[in-house]
Amino acid sequence: MSSRRSAGVAGILAALTGVLALSLLPESSALAQAAMPAIAVKTGAGGAQTYSLTFQVLILMTALTMLPAILLSMTAFTRIIIVLSILRQALGMAQTPPNQVLTGLALFLTFFVMSSVITQSFDTGIKPYLDGKLSGEIAIDNTLKPLKGFMLAQTRETDLALFSKLSGKGSFRSAEDVPLSVLMPTFLTSELKTAFQIGFMVFIPFLVIDLVVASVLMSMGMMMLSPMLVSLPFKIMLFVLVDGWTLLMGTLASSFHL
């Protein structure tokens, strides 16, 4: 078990990009050996050599550019980054923590939540394909199956019914029959709703502090003093005293009910 976890970020990124890369690579090891090399070397008449990338490498590099879209539309990243952004707004600090810190925190928490799903996708789809045990089409299905299971577990039935109706395909007999073209917008819509629900619960305690401070300042006749300036240290103190980061990270991780 520890050896699988040691794969880390590199293995997770490889598994995500493999979803697209598998469909572009040869369907068997024999075809892979017969394919053109990654870099083609041509020798001119004067002995000068020129180098050029093959079409397969170009397609693979194009697939890598779609990694951010895969991260946003098929993982837990969207819910986590929205909740963290709402927390920063509730605290009243527009630039603290900075965007880079929030993005990094959301990214690695996403890796933590998705580690079992990505490991399963890699073990059942990409690794057997690289070992020459599966064809490309079967490997793609095996790679996508755990990801689709994760997305369906976070999807509301009402959202799925809506996008199924909009797509004109009607209802589906089983979860395996739901195509990605329907599942991805459904998953994103459900994630947005869940993120705002969690963000609402996070916002309430800080809103109460703002109301109390504003009422006290108004009763004291201090109209020129900004309530946000006075309430900020109290909100930070409350968040630190209740160990807010640990509570929030634990709540976000457990909200995916894997």
Side-chain angles (χ1 to χ4, degrees):
M1 188 67 180
S2 59
S3 61
R4 290 186 177 180
R5 291 183 178 178
S6 63
V9 177
I12 293 174
L13 292 177
L16 286 173
T17 54
V19 174
L20 293 176
L22 279 175
S23 60
L24 302 172
L25 295 176
E27 292 189 359
S28 65
S29 58
L31 292 176
Q33 295 177 357
M36 297 175 61
I39 300 178
V41 182
K42 295 182 180 180
T43 303
Q49 293 182 341
T50 58
Y51 301 88
S52 61
L53 295 176
T54 62
F55 183 71
Q56 287 182 358
V57 175
L58 179 62
I59 294 298
L60 182 59
M61 293 175 63
T62 304
L64 289 175
T65 62
M66 298 188 66
L67 180 60
I70 297 175
L71 185 66
L72 288 173
S73 59
M74 300 180 68
T75 67
F77 182 82
T78 300
R79 181 188 305 184
I80 296 172
I81 192 63
I82 290 176
V83 172
L84 293 179
S85 299
I86 293 177
L87 170 65
R88 185 173 65 178
Q89 185 70 25
L91 287 172
M93 298 184 294
Q95 300 296 329
T96 305
N99 292 331
Q100 294 84 348
V101 174
L102 290 185
T103 303
L105 183 59
L107 187 62
F108 284 100
L109 186 58
T110 300
F111 291 156
F112 173 78
V113 172
M114 300 290 299
S115 59
S116 60
V117 178
I118 299 301
T119 300
Q120 185 179 357
S121 295
F122 184 83
D123 291 342
T124 59
I126 297 177
K127 190 176 184 302
Y129 175 81
L130 296 178
D131 295 339
K133 299 179 181 179
L134 292 179
S135 63
E137 183 178 356
I138 298 177
I140 292 175
D141 292 337
N142 291 348
T143 302
L144 289 177
K145 188 175 181 179
L147 291 173
K148 291 178 66 176
F150 169 81
M151 295 166 69
L152 284 169
Q154 316 304 322
T155 298
R156 292 175 172 80
E157 295 183 1
T158 54
D159 295 334
L160 182 59
L162 171 63
F163 282 96
S164 299
K165 180 180 179 180
L166 293 176
S167 65
K169 298 180 180 180
S171 59
F172 300 96
R173 292 178 298 177
S174 62
E176 290 76 12
D177 296 333
V178 181
L180 283 177
S181 59
V182 175
L183 182 57
M184 291 173 69
T186 305
F187 172 73
L188 286 175
T189 303
S190 297
E191 286 294 280
L192 288 173
K193 184 175 182 180
T194 304
F196 275 88
Q197 289 176 342
I198 299 175
F200 172 78
M201 301 302 296
V202 171
F203 211 105
I204 290 299
F206 302 109
L207 180 60
V208 172
I209 294 178
D210 287 334
L211 292 176
V212 172
V213 171
S215 300
V216 171
L217 291 178
M218 185 172 295
S219 63
M220 295 175 62
M222 305 176 66
M223 308 295 296
M224 302 302 295
L225 185 59
S226 173
M228 296 293 296
L229 183 62
V230 179
S231 64
L232 179 58
F234 291 100
K235 291 189 289 187
I236 295 177
M237 181 181 65
L238 173 65
F239 192 69
V240 172
L241 288 178
V242 301
D243 199 6
W245 287 113
T246 302
L247 289 176
L248 184 62
M249 295 299 104
T251 300
L252 283 173
S254 61
S255 66
F256 291 95
H257 51 82
L258 296 177

